[in-house]
């Protein structure tokens, strides 16, 4: 871990949260997560906002600008596989120049920028985290796509009597996609229904969803532990099954064109980048040795006051989540890439 990389990481921890408030934000996040269901629902937007303020700089440091997994071929780098995964989605949607596209839960906009450059479409990203939007706007300018790509804040995690609407008229977009993002919505049917509303008739919504598989046994305590650690370390509500997502799409009004867990056919396991037993020079920061250096550098920076108090705890629960994802992947009880292509019928 270079000195400049460490300082960049330290300066970003906490996002829009004041540096002196990071420790209490970590404590509140963990309290929300382990609270009862009603408390979690009532505080969900605040919980997820805190999560992404706390972890975004760690994500970007270890993973780059695109915070998602991808099927990977032998001899292919992680970055190459991520780009191909994004291009596949763009091709499934038939994106091209002149299309007005929506990215639901866009993070800092890595996929948004890649898909915009690949397809020449104009892409709007919606996100409920102000820090990620600010960071995404900066990266858009650096990439030169700030004229065709933009961000809108949408509190799509708020659940009230009526689902909060996105700030767009009905039938606005030529295509909509989400990459490992709509798993954050506590009510997935309401989320899909709102996506349906702003999509033009005859057009498609495509997404990669985080789901438990048919191998998950709710009575198995180890399975439950792994699932809980994935949820805590990734700011998630109760992880849904593929069947639940499929049913929610149909109830929202979509025609499902095709769907598949694309992780099944990946020549290399999707969780390989997080597997501590692997040695990777191209993705050194997430190896066991890389994690060791990062852990100790964060500890040192926090001790020196260069990183806010609480930074070590953030890194600790991210490491725990990474290990849980690997366990879930090896046992076949979890997938981060249940893919579907769904069409809004013509009126």
């Amino acid at each position: 871990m270079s000195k400049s990389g460490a300082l960049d990481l330290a300066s970003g921890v906490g996002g829009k949260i004041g540096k002196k408030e990071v420790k209490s934000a970590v404590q509140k996040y963990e309290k929300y997560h382990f609270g009862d269901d009603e408390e979690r629902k009532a505080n969900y937007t605040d919980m997820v906002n805190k999560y992404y303020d706390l972890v975004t700089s760690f994500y970007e440091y270890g993973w780059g600008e695109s915070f998602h997994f991808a099927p990977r071929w032998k001899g292919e780098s992680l970055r190459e596989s991520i780009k191909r995964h994004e291009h596949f989605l763009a091709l499934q949607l038939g994106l091209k120049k002149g299309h007005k596209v929506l990215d639901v839960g866009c993070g800092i906009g890595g996929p948004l920028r890649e898909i915009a450059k690949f397809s020449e479409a104009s892409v709007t990203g919606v996100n409920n985290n102000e820090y990620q939007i600010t960071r995404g706007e900066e990266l858009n300018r650096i990439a030169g796509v700030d004229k065709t790509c933009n961000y809108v804040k949408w509190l799509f995690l708020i659940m009230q009597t009526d689902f909060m609407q996105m700030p767009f008229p009905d039938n606005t977009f030529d295509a909509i996609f989400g990459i490992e993002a709509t798993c954050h919505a506590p009510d997935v049917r309401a989320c899909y229904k709102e996506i349906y509303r702003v999509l033009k008739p005859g057009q498609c919504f495509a997404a990669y969803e985080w789901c438990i598989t048919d191998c998950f046994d709710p009575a198995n305590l180890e399975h439950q532990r792994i699932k809980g650690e994935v949820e805590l370390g990734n700011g998630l509500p109760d992880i849904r099954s593929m069947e639940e997502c499929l049913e929610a799409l149909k109830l929202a009004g979509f025609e499902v064109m095709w769907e598949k867990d694309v992780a099944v056919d990946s020549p290399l396991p999707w969780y390989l980048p997080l597997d501590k037993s692997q040695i990777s020079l191209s993705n050194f920061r997430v190896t066991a040795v890389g994690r060791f250096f990062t852990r100790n550098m964060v500890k040192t920076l926090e001790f020196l006051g260069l990183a806010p108090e609480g930074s070590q705890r953030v890194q600790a629960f991210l490491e725990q989540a990474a290990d849980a994802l690997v366990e879930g992947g090896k046992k076949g009880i979890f997938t981060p890439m249940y893919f579907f292509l769904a069409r809004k019928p013509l009126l």
Side-chain angles (χ1 to χ4, degrees):
M1 186 175 189
S2 69
K3 183 178 180 181
S4 61
L7 291 175
D8 287 344
L9 171 60
S11 66
V13 174
K16 293 289 184 180
I17 300 171
K19 300 304 179 186
K20 293 182 179 179
E21 305 301 321
V22 168
K23 183 179 179 181
S24 64
V26 175
Q27 293 170 339
K28 286 180 181 178
Y29 168 72
E30 292 182 319
K31 179 178 180 291
Y32 290 156
H33 186 85
F34 290 114
D36 59 43
D37 287 344
E38 290 305 313
E39 182 181 12
R40 288 176 68 182
K41 287 179 181 178
N43 296 290
Y44 198 75
T45 297
D46 186 45
M47 182 182 82
V48 176
N49 255 312
K50 279 186 170 56
Y51 173 80
Y52 277 109
D53 273 330
L54 293 168
V55 306
T56 293
S57 62
F58 283 99
Y59 273 22
E60 191 174 352
Y61 174 79
W63 211 253
E65 296 177 18
S66 293
F67 305 159
H68 64 80
F69 295 97
R72 190 171 169 190
W73 293 93
K74 293 179 181 178
E76 185 178 44
S77 71
L78 175 63
R79 182 59 196 142
E80 287 170 339
S81 70
I82 284 173
K83 281 189 174 185
R84 181 171 52 77
H85 198 51
E86 293 164 356
H87 294 175
F88 171 82
L89 188 149
L91 291 169
Q92 289 296 311
L93 287 169
L95 303 186
K96 60 185 179 181
K97 190 172 184 177
H99 276 177
K100 189 174 181 180
V101 182
L102 183 67
D103 177 359
V104 179
C106 59
I108 61 171
L112 177 153
R113 286 182 289 278
E114 183 61 37
I115 287 173
K117 289 186 284 186
F118 177 73
S119 66
E120 296 189 291
S122 297
V123 187
T124 295
V126 290
N127 193 332
N128 77 320
N129 184 268
E130 188 178 345
Y131 173 68
Q132 288 194 335
I133 290 175
T134 300
R135 180 65 178 143
E137 288 171 340
E138 178 185 4
L139 292 170
N140 279 7
R141 287 191 293 271
I142 293 171
V145 298
D146 51 310
K147 298 294 190 294
T148 57
C149 297
N150 68 302
Y151 301 92
V152 172
K153 190 169 184 178
W154 174 39
L155 298 179
F156 77 102
L157 300 170
I158 289 180
M159 296 306 301
Q160 298 173 342
T161 304
D162 295 315
F163 191 76
M164 178 171 274
Q165 291 188 338
M166 284 189 275
F168 308 113
D170 294 356
N171 309 322
T172 295
F173 293 98
D174 298 296
I176 299 177
F177 68 87
I179 301 181
E180 302 181 22
T182 47
C183 52
H184 284 290
D187 185 335
V188 70
R189 178 186 173 186
C191 181
Y192 291 165
K193 188 174 181 180
E194 181 63 1
I195 289 168
Y196 181 96
R197 181 185 69 80
V198 300
L199 181 65
K200 291 179 181 178
Q203 303 307 310
C204 290
F205 165 44
Y208 298 112
E209 281 279 11
W210 282 32
C211 292
I212 54 173
T213 71
D214 293 340
C215 295
F216 179 82
D217 179 2
N220 185 308
L221 294 179
E222 186 179 18
H223 288 191
Q224 285 285 11
R225 174 190 61 79
I226 292 169
K227 178 174 175 286
E229 290 178 3
V230 170
E231 289 166 350
L232 169 65
N234 293 279
L236 295 174
D238 190 29
I239 301 174
R240 292 175 283 271
S241 68
M242 293 181 280
E243 291 75 15
E244 286 173 314
C245 288
L246 191 59
E247 181 66 15
L249 282 168
K250 294 174 180 177
L251 290 172
F254 283 106
E255 297 173 348
V256 179
M257 310 300 286
W258 74 280
E259 46 84 27
K260 182 180 181 180
D261 177 7
V262 295
V264 172
D265 295 330
S266 179
L268 294 176
W270 61 264
Y271 53 81
L272 202 63
L274 297 179
D275 191 341
K276 291 187 295 188
S277 66
Q278 300 297 312
I279 298 174
S280 172
L281 294 177
S282 63
N283 204 34
F284 173 76
R285 292 172 177 177
V286 297
T287 63
V289 177
R291 287 198 212 177
F292 173 81
F293 280 115
T294 301
R295 190 183 312 124
N296 282 280
M297 185 62 74
V298 170
K299 182 177 181 180
T300 301
L301 290 169
E302 187 171 329
F303 175 77
L304 295 173
L306 297 175
E309 191 177 1
S311 298
Q312 291 180 78
R313 181 57 197 151
V314 175
Q315 208 225 345
F317 72 62
L318 286 176
E319 281 203 50
Q320 184 180 34
D323 293 340
L325 285 166
V326 173
E327 286 186 272
K330 287 182 175 180
K331 292 182 180 297
I333 63 174
F334 171 79
T335 178
M337 53 186 87
Y338 172 57
F339 177 82
F340 58 75
L341 179 70
R343 177 177 175 270
K344 179 176 179 177
L346 288 167
L347 297 178

